[in-house]
Short mmCIF file of all heavy atoms in Angstrom, two decimals:
data_model
loop_
_atom_site.label_atom_id
_atom_site.label_comp_id
_atom_site.label_asym_id
_atom_site.label_seq_id
_atom_site.Cartn_x
_atom_site.Cartn_y
_atom_site.Cartn_z
N ALA A 135 12.97 8.43 -3.73
CA ALA A 135 12.49 9.45 -2.86
C ALA A 135 11.74 8.89 -1.56
O ALA A 135 11.90 9.42 -0.49
CB ALA A 135 11.54 10.40 -3.52
N ASP A 138 14.64 7.62 0.87
CA ASP A 138 15.67 8.59 1.39
C ASP A 138 15.19 9.91 1.62
O ASP A 138 15.89 10.85 2.18
CB ASP A 138 16.82 8.59 0.51
CG ASP A 138 17.44 7.21 0.21
OD1 ASP A 138 17.17 6.34 1.04
OD2 ASP A 138 18.02 7.02 -0.89
N GLY A 139 13.94 10.32 1.13
CA GLY A 139 13.42 11.54 1.30
C GLY A 139 13.48 12.21 2.63
O GLY A 139 13.92 13.39 2.82
N ALA A 140 13.21 11.43 3.63
CA ALA A 140 13.10 11.99 5.05
C ALA A 140 14.42 12.42 5.59
O ALA A 140 14.39 13.33 6.44
CB ALA A 140 12.48 10.94 5.94
N PHE A 141 15.47 11.97 5.07
CA PHE A 141 16.76 12.48 5.57
C PHE A 141 16.88 13.96 5.18
O PHE A 141 17.82 14.61 5.79
CB PHE A 141 17.97 11.79 4.85
CG PHE A 141 18.10 10.39 5.37
CD1 PHE A 141 17.99 9.17 4.59
CD2 PHE A 141 18.46 10.09 6.77
CE1 PHE A 141 18.15 7.97 5.05
CE2 PHE A 141 18.58 8.86 7.23
CZ PHE A 141 18.37 7.84 6.40
N PHE A 142 16.25 14.48 4.23
CA PHE A 142 16.49 15.85 3.71
C PHE A 142 15.47 16.83 4.30
O PHE A 142 15.26 17.89 3.67
CB PHE A 142 16.50 15.81 2.15
CG PHE A 142 17.54 14.92 1.64
CD1 PHE A 142 17.46 13.55 1.44
CD2 PHE A 142 18.99 15.47 1.63
CE1 PHE A 142 18.56 12.74 1.06
CE2 PHE A 142 20.01 14.63 1.10
CZ PHE A 142 19.75 13.36 0.88
N GLU A 143 14.91 16.48 5.45
CA GLU A 143 13.96 17.33 6.05
C GLU A 143 14.74 18.71 6.38
O GLU A 143 15.83 18.75 6.92
CB GLU A 143 13.67 16.72 7.41
CG GLU A 143 12.24 17.31 7.93
CD GLU A 143 11.90 16.62 9.19
OE1 GLU A 143 11.81 15.38 9.24
OE2 GLU A 143 11.81 17.29 10.32
N ASP A 144 14.07 19.73 5.84
CA ASP A 144 14.64 21.10 6.08
C ASP A 144 15.92 21.35 5.37
O ASP A 144 16.65 22.23 5.68
CB ASP A 144 14.66 21.55 7.55
CG ASP A 144 14.58 22.95 7.72
OD1 ASP A 144 14.02 23.67 6.95
OD2 ASP A 144 15.25 23.45 8.71
N LEU A 145 16.30 20.55 4.34
CA LEU A 145 17.55 20.83 3.63
C LEU A 145 17.07 21.11 2.16
O LEU A 145 15.91 21.07 1.77
CB LEU A 145 18.41 19.51 3.65
CG LEU A 145 18.93 19.10 4.99
CD1 LEU A 145 19.58 17.76 4.88
CD2 LEU A 145 19.97 20.10 5.38
N GLU A 146 18.13 21.42 1.37
CA GLU A 146 17.93 21.69 -0.05
C GLU A 146 18.08 20.42 -0.86
O GLU A 146 19.01 19.67 -0.56
CB GLU A 146 18.85 22.73 -0.60
CG GLU A 146 18.40 24.09 -0.11
CD GLU A 146 19.05 25.17 -0.98
OE1 GLU A 146 19.10 25.18 -2.16
OE2 GLU A 146 19.60 26.15 -0.27
N VAL A 147 17.20 20.22 -1.91
CA VAL A 147 17.32 19.01 -2.62
C VAL A 147 17.13 19.47 -4.11
O VAL A 147 16.46 20.35 -4.51
CB VAL A 147 16.13 18.16 -2.31
CG1 VAL A 147 15.83 17.00 -3.35
CG2 VAL A 147 16.43 17.38 -0.99
N TYR A 148 17.95 18.69 -5.01
CA TYR A 148 17.84 18.92 -6.44
C TYR A 148 17.31 17.67 -7.02
O TYR A 148 17.76 16.66 -6.74
CB TYR A 148 19.30 19.22 -7.05
CG TYR A 148 19.78 20.57 -6.54
CD1 TYR A 148 20.49 20.60 -5.27
CD2 TYR A 148 19.64 21.76 -7.26
CE1 TYR A 148 20.90 21.81 -4.77
CE2 TYR A 148 20.05 22.96 -6.75
CZ TYR A 148 20.73 23.01 -5.53
OH TYR A 148 21.10 24.22 -5.04
N VAL A 149 16.34 17.82 -7.90
CA VAL A 149 15.75 16.63 -8.47
C VAL A 149 16.06 16.77 -10.00
O VAL A 149 15.80 17.80 -10.70
CB VAL A 149 14.17 16.65 -8.34
CG1 VAL A 149 13.53 15.54 -9.22
CG2 VAL A 149 13.86 16.36 -6.86
N GLU A 159 8.10 13.24 -8.08
CA GLU A 159 8.93 13.07 -6.94
C GLU A 159 9.47 14.31 -6.36
O GLU A 159 9.65 14.48 -5.21
CB GLU A 159 10.17 12.12 -7.29
CG GLU A 159 9.81 10.72 -7.72
CD GLU A 159 8.88 9.96 -6.78
OE1 GLU A 159 8.98 10.15 -5.51
OE2 GLU A 159 8.07 9.10 -7.23
N ALA A 160 9.64 15.41 -7.20
CA ALA A 160 9.86 16.72 -6.69
C ALA A 160 8.77 17.24 -5.84
O ALA A 160 9.10 17.75 -4.71
CB ALA A 160 10.19 17.68 -7.87
N LEU A 161 7.57 16.99 -6.22
CA LEU A 161 6.39 17.37 -5.38
C LEU A 161 6.43 16.57 -4.07
O LEU A 161 6.23 17.16 -2.99
CB LEU A 161 5.08 17.08 -6.17
CG LEU A 161 4.73 17.98 -7.29
CD1 LEU A 161 3.76 17.51 -8.27
CD2 LEU A 161 4.15 19.39 -6.62
N PHE A 162 6.70 15.31 -4.18
CA PHE A 162 6.83 14.46 -2.90
C PHE A 162 7.79 15.00 -2.02
O PHE A 162 7.67 15.13 -0.75
CB PHE A 162 7.11 13.03 -3.33
CG PHE A 162 7.34 12.05 -2.18
CD1 PHE A 162 6.26 11.70 -1.40
CD2 PHE A 162 8.57 11.61 -1.83
CE1 PHE A 162 6.47 10.80 -0.32
CE2 PHE A 162 8.81 10.90 -0.80
CZ PHE A 162 7.78 10.39 -0.05
N MET A 163 9.00 15.40 -2.57
CA MET A 163 10.12 15.80 -1.71
C MET A 163 9.80 17.23 -0.97
O MET A 163 10.45 17.43 0.01
CB MET A 163 11.32 16.08 -2.61
CG MET A 163 12.07 14.80 -3.07
SD MET A 163 12.52 13.65 -1.63
CE MET A 163 13.71 14.70 -0.85
N THR A 164 8.84 17.92 -1.46
CA THR A 164 8.51 19.23 -0.80
C THR A 164 7.89 18.94 0.61
O THR A 164 7.87 19.78 1.46
CB THR A 164 7.51 20.07 -1.62
OG1 THR A 164 6.29 19.34 -1.74
CG2 THR A 164 8.08 20.49 -2.93
N LYS A 165 7.50 17.68 0.90
CA LYS A 165 7.02 17.26 2.26
C LYS A 165 8.21 17.43 3.21
O LYS A 165 8.03 17.65 4.38
CB LYS A 165 6.53 15.89 2.20
CG LYS A 165 5.24 15.51 1.59
CD LYS A 165 4.82 14.09 1.98
CE LYS A 165 3.86 13.68 0.90
NZ LYS A 165 3.47 12.23 1.13
N PHE A 166 9.39 17.23 2.74
CA PHE A 166 10.51 17.19 3.61
C PHE A 166 11.43 18.42 3.48
O PHE A 166 11.83 19.05 4.41
CB PHE A 166 11.36 15.89 3.43
CG PHE A 166 10.57 14.59 3.47
CD1 PHE A 166 10.24 14.00 2.19
CD2 PHE A 166 10.14 14.14 4.59
CE1 PHE A 166 9.53 12.79 2.26
CE2 PHE A 166 9.39 12.95 4.68
CZ PHE A 166 9.13 12.28 3.39
N ALA A 167 11.86 18.69 2.23
CA ALA A 167 12.91 19.62 1.93
C ALA A 167 12.41 21.01 2.13
O ALA A 167 11.24 21.34 1.98
CB ALA A 167 13.38 19.36 0.50
N ARG A 168 13.35 21.87 2.44
CA ARG A 168 13.10 23.34 2.57
C ARG A 168 12.79 23.80 1.17
O ARG A 168 12.00 24.68 0.95
CB ARG A 168 14.25 24.00 3.18
CG ARG A 168 14.18 25.49 3.41
CD ARG A 168 15.31 25.97 4.26
NE ARG A 168 16.54 26.05 3.49
CZ ARG A 168 17.74 25.44 3.89
NH1 ARG A 168 17.79 24.88 5.07
NH2 ARG A 168 18.81 25.62 3.19
N LYS A 169 13.67 23.42 0.16
CA LYS A 169 13.54 23.80 -1.19
C LYS A 169 13.93 22.79 -2.19
O LYS A 169 14.88 22.04 -1.93
CB LYS A 169 14.53 25.04 -1.37
CG LYS A 169 14.46 25.73 -2.75
CD LYS A 169 15.41 26.81 -2.91
CE LYS A 169 15.52 27.34 -4.30
NZ LYS A 169 16.66 28.15 -4.58
N VAL A 170 13.14 22.67 -3.26
CA VAL A 170 13.45 21.57 -4.20
C VAL A 170 13.66 22.32 -5.52
O VAL A 170 12.80 23.07 -6.04
CB VAL A 170 12.27 20.65 -4.33
CG1 VAL A 170 12.52 19.63 -5.41
CG2 VAL A 170 11.97 19.92 -3.07
N THR A 171 14.82 22.03 -6.19
CA THR A 171 15.10 22.64 -7.49
C THR A 171 15.15 21.55 -8.48
O THR A 171 15.81 20.49 -8.42
CB THR A 171 16.41 23.32 -7.38
OG1 THR A 171 16.41 24.30 -6.43
CG2 THR A 171 16.69 24.01 -8.83
N ASN A 192 3.60 25.28 -6.71
CA ASN A 192 4.18 24.88 -5.42
C ASN A 192 5.32 25.91 -5.09
O ASN A 192 6.30 25.95 -5.81
CB ASN A 192 4.77 23.49 -5.34
CG ASN A 192 5.10 23.05 -4.00
OD1 ASN A 192 5.82 23.68 -3.22
ND2 ASN A 192 4.65 21.81 -3.66
N PRO A 193 5.16 26.68 -4.06
CA PRO A 193 6.14 27.79 -3.74
C PRO A 193 7.49 27.21 -3.40
O PRO A 193 8.62 27.90 -3.45
CB PRO A 193 5.57 28.48 -2.57
CG PRO A 193 4.62 27.61 -1.93
CD PRO A 193 3.99 26.75 -3.11
N LYS A 194 7.60 25.92 -3.00
CA LYS A 194 8.84 25.38 -2.66
C LYS A 194 9.71 24.81 -3.78
O LYS A 194 10.90 24.48 -3.67
CB LYS A 194 8.59 24.14 -1.72
CG LYS A 194 8.44 24.57 -0.22
CD LYS A 194 8.40 23.23 0.57
CE LYS A 194 8.54 23.43 2.08
NZ LYS A 194 8.51 22.15 2.76
N ILE A 195 9.04 24.84 -4.97
CA ILE A 195 9.80 24.20 -6.14
C ILE A 195 10.30 25.30 -7.07
O ILE A 195 9.61 26.27 -7.43
CB ILE A 195 8.83 23.20 -6.98
CG1 ILE A 195 8.40 22.06 -6.01
CG2 ILE A 195 9.49 22.83 -8.18
CD1 ILE A 195 7.62 21.03 -6.69
N ASP A 234 23.73 24.05 6.45
CA ASP A 234 23.33 22.73 6.13
C ASP A 234 24.53 21.84 6.01
O ASP A 234 24.59 20.65 6.56
CB ASP A 234 22.60 22.67 4.82
CG ASP A 234 21.24 23.34 4.81
OD1 ASP A 234 20.86 23.77 5.95
OD2 ASP A 234 20.68 23.63 3.86
N MET A 236 25.34 20.12 3.50
CA MET A 236 25.03 19.08 2.54
C MET A 236 23.73 19.37 1.78
O MET A 236 22.94 20.19 2.25
CB MET A 236 24.95 17.74 3.21
CG MET A 236 23.78 17.82 4.27
SD MET A 236 23.81 16.31 5.32
CE MET A 236 22.12 15.75 5.03
N PHE A 237 23.58 18.62 0.66
CA PHE A 237 22.28 18.76 -0.06
C PHE A 237 21.98 17.35 -0.73
O PHE A 237 22.87 16.49 -0.71
CB PHE A 237 22.26 19.85 -1.01
CG PHE A 237 23.24 19.90 -2.11
CD1 PHE A 237 23.14 19.06 -3.16
CD2 PHE A 237 24.36 20.80 -1.99
CE1 PHE A 237 24.15 19.06 -4.22
CE2 PHE A 237 25.33 20.78 -3.09
CZ PHE A 237 25.22 19.93 -4.06
N GLY A 238 20.87 17.22 -1.32
CA GLY A 238 20.48 15.98 -1.82
C GLY A 238 20.33 16.03 -3.40
O GLY A 238 19.86 17.14 -3.81
N VAL A 239 20.70 15.10 -4.11
CA VAL A 239 20.38 14.98 -5.56
C VAL A 239 19.68 13.70 -5.82
O VAL A 239 20.18 12.58 -5.56
CB VAL A 239 21.76 15.06 -6.32
CG1 VAL A 239 21.50 14.72 -7.87
CG2 VAL A 239 22.38 16.41 -6.29
N PHE A 240 18.41 13.94 -6.34
CA PHE A 240 17.53 12.74 -6.60
C PHE A 240 17.40 12.70 -8.17
O PHE A 240 17.09 13.66 -8.75
CB PHE A 240 16.18 12.91 -5.96
CG PHE A 240 16.30 12.59 -4.49
CD1 PHE A 240 16.72 13.57 -3.70
CD2 PHE A 240 15.67 11.41 -4.02
CE1 PHE A 240 16.83 13.16 -2.29
CE2 PHE A 240 15.74 11.11 -2.72
CZ PHE A 240 16.30 12.06 -1.75
N ARG B 61 17.02 10.86 12.62
CA ARG B 61 17.57 11.42 11.39
C ARG B 61 18.92 12.01 11.55
O ARG B 61 19.95 11.69 10.84
CB ARG B 61 16.66 12.45 10.86
CG ARG B 61 16.93 12.89 9.43
CD ARG B 61 15.80 13.84 8.97
NE ARG B 61 16.04 15.07 9.76
CZ ARG B 61 16.65 16.13 9.20
NH1 ARG B 61 17.34 16.07 8.16
NH2 ARG B 61 16.81 17.27 9.95
#
Side-chain angles (χ1 to χ4, degrees):
Chain A
D138 306 332
F141 288 118
F142 297 90
E143 200 178 305
D144 204 31
L145 293 170
E146 282 195 48
V147 161
Y148 295 83
V149 170
E159 299 305 331
L161 284 160
F162 174 74
M163 287 302 299
T164 60
K165 286 190 201 173
F166 309 103
R168 181 172 72 231
K169 184 184 173 193
V170 177
T171 305
N192 192 312
K194 277 187 168 182
I195 297 184
D234 298 343
M236 59 188 236
F237 58 77
V239 169
F240 284 74
Chain B
R61 193 177 69 93

